[in-house]
Amino acid sequence: LDWIPNPDHVGLYRALARGAFRSAGLDVHVQVPADPATPLQLLAAGKVDLAISYEPEVMLARDKGLPIASIAALVQRPLTSIVSLGAKHITSAAQLRGKTVGDAGIPYQHAYLQTILQRAGVPPSSVKEVNVGANLVGAMLSGRVDATLGAYWNVEALQLRQMGRRVNVIHVENVGVPNYDELVLVARTNDIASATSNVLRRFVQTLGRGYEAVRSDPGAGVASLVKANPGLSAKLAHASVAATLAAFFPAGGKPWGWQPPAQWAAYGQWMLAHHLIAHAAAVAGAQTNQLLAGQGP
């Protein structure tokens, strides 16, 4: 996993609970990383067979020479958002002028903010950026920041609402950041090109059926997830899965897991333009749809 079991993984845990992977002849073991920065490194080193990560992290890893590629999108749109308490009256990017914005100190999130401010005509010097680490909700509640860039519209924003707070959410793809797939499934390129691809294909398509099962019965999906991670708030998990359900599936009749090639190319070009990656080869071949239902040879 990219991190602890959470509502974004609901289809995986539903497939496990239903025995779907066993029925497909697969023996699946889920590992929770000690550090969210390590899954792609473990994958490239052969320590795991697949990893869940993020589209920008795939580009960054490939830029460092890791032989990996994304084989399916679990979440079809950005979850990363600009979130603020309603009392701050930040409903547009232009209203960030003179404000303090917290983030997790991730370089591409800094680039998101610069892109957003530029498009809104806000001088970057007028906005104070603060690294608050993972304490996004706490930083907003304490008043340390006026808004955060990095909170998810399907997690932290809902958490604040369930605490009785009014919340404003600005989706980054609506204010200048190129659209991208937030959460993706990643494999080694050698495995994609070898006979192992048949095993990967079975895994991907079984996982897709897990998300389809959640769409048919969200409550059962949440129950499977909470059973796997009892520390989760069932109330928040239900709200998060309901909010995210549409984002688990592509538009236009494409198969589950679809990754738009042109969208990936545009996002990669944005990363190159902002010097987040240095090599065009990191973008070319960063994703493939060949293992999805009805695709490939």
Side-chain angles (χ1 to χ4, degrees), residues 153-274:
W153 53 260
N154 71 334
V155 180
E156 285 88 357
L158 295 178
Q159 182 182 353
L160 286 164
R161 288 188 178 116
Q162 290 189 352
M163 296 169 67
R165 308 303 292 262
R166 289 187 302 108
V167 179
N168 289 322
V169 176
I170 300 173
H171 295 268
V172 296
E173 71 273 25
N174 293 338
V175 287
V177 175
N179 203 12
Y180 63 93
D181 296 325
E182 185 74 52
L183 211 64
V184 296
L185 182 68
V186 190
R188 289 182 290 273
T189 50
N190 284 347
D191 288 343
I192 298 169
S194 74
T196 304
S197 66
N198 292 325
V199 177
L200 298 180
R201 184 186 300 274
R202 272 186 283 148
F203 180 89
V204 168
Q205 296 184 18
T206 303
L207 180 60
R209 288 191 289 274
Y211 280 91
E212 291 284 1
V214 173
R215 180 157 61 176
S216 298
D217 188 347
V222 172
S224 299
L225 175 66
V226 173
K227 184 176 180 180
N229 183 6
L232 282 177
S233 160
K235 181 181 178 182
L236 180 59
H238 275 284
S240 183
V241 168
T244 319
L245 207 52
F248 291 139
F249 299 94
K254 296 295 186 182
W256 180 88
W258 183 259
Q259 304 163 101
Q263 179 180 295
W264 273 69
Y267 185 84
Q269 290 302 313
W270 176 85
M271 291 193 81
L272 283 164
H274 285 80

Side-chain angles (χ1 to χ4, degrees), residues 58-66 272 276-283:
V58 172
M59 301 281 192
L60 291 168
R62 287 174 56 86
D63 197 53
K64 295 175 183 174
L66 270 61
L272 283 164
L276 295 164
I277 56 176
H279 306 101
V283 180

